[in-house]
Amino acid sequence: MKRALIVVDVQNEYFEGGALPISYPSNSFERIKTAIAEAQKAGILIVFMQHTSLKENAGAFVRGSHLWEFHDEIKAIKPDLYIEKNHASSFVGTDLNYRLRALGIDTVSIIGYMTQNCCDATARDASQLGYNVEFLSDANGTLDFENTAGSVSAEALHRAFLVAQAFGFSRVLTLNEWIPLLKKD
């Protein structure tokens, strides 16, 4: 296996923006940082994805704004690859697939925000492109969600998407289950 860790959208919007406060699991940010540190120690390729909205008058993820920037603790880390994206999936409209294939990557590990949106879309597309996909259950996060279809707690939403990922797209692992796999690479 040749693995890459894809760190999805760990941007200030989820910490300071007010509209999208990540709340579950409560320690997802600490686990994201641990996953990155463990990947660095193991020499795993680290990819930072940064979401940018292309919508006119976008209310979130506006390029160049403070809320668009990575969280300071993430910004201090130098990734092997940095890719800006404009869609939920890290693969749509980017050269991520090409770059990973050129490096011989066959396995991707997904962490970041939000479980049910960009992380899920990235994992599903990676699976469809033929990658082995690892979805780190406690290093992804979400929030309580409400729209015209109804409302759902962050915990229920997170759990439902983990079940869906495990059904056919990803190997769902905790951080503690994932770390020993790095030593086998």
Side-chain angles (χ1 to χ4, degrees):
M1 263 191 213
K2 189 156 183 197
R3 180 182 277 115
L5 178 65
I6 301 178
V7 183
V8 180
D9 304 345
V10 186
Q11 295 166 252
N12 287 329
E13 187 68 48
Y14 293 117
F15 299 90
E16 302 173 33
L20 300 170
I22 297 298
S23 61
Y24 188 85
S26 61
N27 55 1
S28 65
F29 183 57
E30 293 306 315
R31 291 196 171 138
I32 287 168
K33 293 186 296 182
T34 299
I36 294 168
E38 292 293 329
Q40 287 174 318
K41 282 195 271 186
I44 303 297
L45 181 83
I46 298 170
V47 182
F48 281 7
M49 302 303 300
Q50 185 173 27
H51 190 78
T52 300
S53 178
L54 295 179
K55 295 177 184 172
E56 192 174 320
N57 301 317
F61 303 106
V62 176
R63 182 187 286 124
S65 71
H66 172 71
L67 295 177
W68 171 80
E69 293 178 7
F70 290 119
H71 185 285
D72 283 346
E73 292 180 59
I74 298 302
K75 198 183 327 182
I77 300 166
K78 181 167 178 15
D80 298 298
L81 295 175
Y82 161 80
I83 299 175
E84 185 176 340
K85 66 183 185 62
N86 308 117
H87 301 279
S89 173
S90 297
F91 290 95
V92 173
T94 72
D95 65 350
L96 178 60
N97 185 42
Y98 171 79
R99 293 172 85 174
L100 294 178
R101 295 291 185 206
L103 294 168
I105 301 297
D106 63 7
T107 302
V108 294
S109 305
I110 311 292
I111 63 174
Y113 300 132
M114 293 187 294
T115 306
Q116 79 282 4
N117 194 14
C118 296
C119 297
D120 177 74
T122 297
R124 286 173 186 258
D125 283 353
S127 175
Q128 297 302 310
L129 289 167
Y131 292 95
N132 300 307
V133 183
E134 299 165 333
F135 200 93
L136 276 60
S137 62
D138 50 0
N140 277 274
T142 193
L143 60 146
D144 295 336
F145 215 79
E146 183 174 344
N147 60 29
T148 58
S151 63
V152 64
S153 73
E155 182 177 0
L157 183 60
H158 187 76
R159 188 176 324 112
F161 272 82
L162 295 179
V163 170
Q165 277 296 319
F167 179 70
F169 302 103
S170 299
R171 182 175 177 198
V172 176
L173 303 162
T174 65
L175 179 61
N176 288 336
E177 292 169 334
W178 180 74
I179 290 171
L181 300 177
L182 304 182
K183 294 170 181 49
K184 295 178 183 178
D185 283 355

